[in-house]
Amino acid sequence: MMVFNVRYGSGAPPNDNRGWIIAIDQVGRIVFSLALDAPTQDIRQHPNGNIFFSQTGIGLITEIDQSGNKLRQWHVSGKWKKKKPPINSIPIDLPLIHHTLNVFPNGNLLLNSAEGKNIENWYTSDMDPEAPRGNALVIGDVFHEIDLEGKKIREWHAFDFLDIERICYGSLSKYWERQGFINSRDWCHANASSYIAIDDSLLISFRTQDCILKLDCQTNEIKWILGPHDNWRKPWTKKLLRPDQTVQWQYHQHDASLTPEGTILCFDNGNFRSNPFKPKLSATKNYSRIVEFQVDEDDRKVKQLWSYGDAQEDRIYACYQGGALRLPQTGNSFMTYGGICTKEGVPSDDNSNFGRSRLIELTPEKEIVFEIWIDSSREVPSLPLSSFRAEHVVIK
């Protein structure tokens, strides 16, 4: 079955923060639907067969069985300082969690957190290269391995391996102000992380760096960087994958993963399809796609194997959220257009406008064999809705 979240977009009623976890079978019948009193985000199947989902805004992780019954819960201590956590909830000593929830083969959790650094002489504009510099509170991601007792096992800090001097469009946004980091800048915005057991590494998607990278868990060294070559400096330039003529770079991507074939799959949101200080592509001309890359680690090369959504007749633009996964039984691909935002029917980069989601399954020949739209267009007034990503759950 497929399990996915639904939540309101930014333009929803201010006092309504509901979220839903929904499971559907192969013919679209609802297996379970959980209505929750706080927005939901990522979903993963644990090695034990159960389903884990996050409510990052309130700092909760919940384990349910395949019928939707709650089994266990964890709370992030930094979000529960002023109130009592749920009864029997397991504490995790982190200030916050955000975006992705993932699991290690041993059952431990892979969680994203964040930290801030005051950086002197940093950017004040991503549009004007001559703009004066100033001091900034820059937010960097931290990745944690946490066991099921809530104990920290390992951690990796983006400040330790990414170039603080590199920005992309979005790196100066104020996303983190809503999380309590006043006057901060969203420098890298990791929205996906997964563990690759064969060589003890992390695969990380940095949305506002327009890159996917592979990180050695032991040495904290970047193995390679997949994405546009703009604005990188030495020594990071040595890690950039060299594209052949097939490659069209991804921008502001989500949900990077390693497929069973060993390739890299992601949802390419496509925001702006440019880097500072080049002109941006407008939302009205933009599109999102699912794309598959083959990486040659030895020669540090990359080629594009497959994509869907870039052909003119298939174009839909989802400015935020989204998912891409390869279904192991069939070789089909499942794609989540997470936040398709429009203003008066025109594609928009502003997620406070009307939003909806589209979930589709594609054959390797790009035939759509399954499709769901999530929206409230029949309601008056209509509400913006989104879906972060869908998870394929093997029935056990």
Side-chain angles (χ1 to χ4, degrees), residues 194-327:
S194 57
Y195 180 68
I196 302 176
I198 192 171
D199 59 359
D200 192 25
S201 60
L202 295 181
L203 187 70
I204 304 171
S205 164
F206 287 108
R207 176 169 165 87
T208 59
Q209 287 288 309
D210 290 330
C211 77
I212 300 165
L213 63 79
K214 189 175 182 181
L215 182 74
D216 189 307
C217 289
Q218 294 296 323
T219 66
N220 220 29
E221 293 287 328
I222 295 173
K223 294 190 173 188
W224 48 255
I225 300 170
L226 168 59
H229 288 198
D230 306 272
N231 304 329
W232 289 101
R233 304 182 301 163
K234 293 181 179 178
W236 292 272
T237 50
K238 295 181 179 179
K239 306 295 185 179
L240 295 170
L241 294 173
R242 292 177 285 117
D244 69 7
Q245 70 278 5
T246 65
V247 171
Q248 299 178 53
W249 293 126
Q250 81 288 346
Y251 292 85
H252 272 46
Q253 71 289 319
H254 277 79
D255 200 21
S257 63
L258 186 71
T259 71
E261 297 79 28
T263 58
I264 305 299
L265 195 69
C266 77
F267 182 81
D268 172 18
N269 292 78
N271 299 59
F272 315 123
R273 296 204 176 274
S274 180
N275 293 124
F277 292 93
K278 300 175 183 176
K280 299 178 180 179
L281 185 66
S282 70
T284 58
K285 298 179 179 179
N286 213 339
Y287 59 92
S288 302
R289 62 183 183 143
I290 186 173
V291 58
E292 181 179 8
F293 298 106
Q294 185 175 67
V295 172
D296 183 335
E297 293 195 355
D298 294 332
D299 289 339
R300 204 161 279 135
K301 294 180 180 179
V302 61
K303 62 181 179 180
Q304 183 175 307
L305 297 181
W306 185 84
S307 67
Y308 171 83
D310 37 15
Q312 193 67 42
E313 64 272 17
D314 300 323
R315 291 190 173 187
I316 295 176
Y317 178 47
C319 66
Y320 78 125
Q321 303 188 95
L325 59 89
R326 180 64 43 81
L327 304 180

Side-chain angles (χ1 to χ4, degrees), residues 148-166:
L148 295 186
E149 299 303 318
K151 180 183 176 183
K152 296 178 183 178
I153 306 300
R154 296 188 287 179
E155 63 186 41
W156 304 267
H157 298 253
F159 283 124
D160 292 342
F161 56 82
L162 270 184
D163 183 8
I164 192 63
E165 278 292 309
R166 183 177 190 261

Side-chain angles (χ1 to χ4, degrees), residues 59-75:
L60 283 182
I61 297 169
T62 303
E63 179 184 11
I64 57 177
D65 65 22
Q66 294 189 359
S67 298
N69 301 303
K70 186 168 77 171
L71 302 174
R72 283 185 292 183
Q73 203 159 45
W74 293 258
H75 66 275

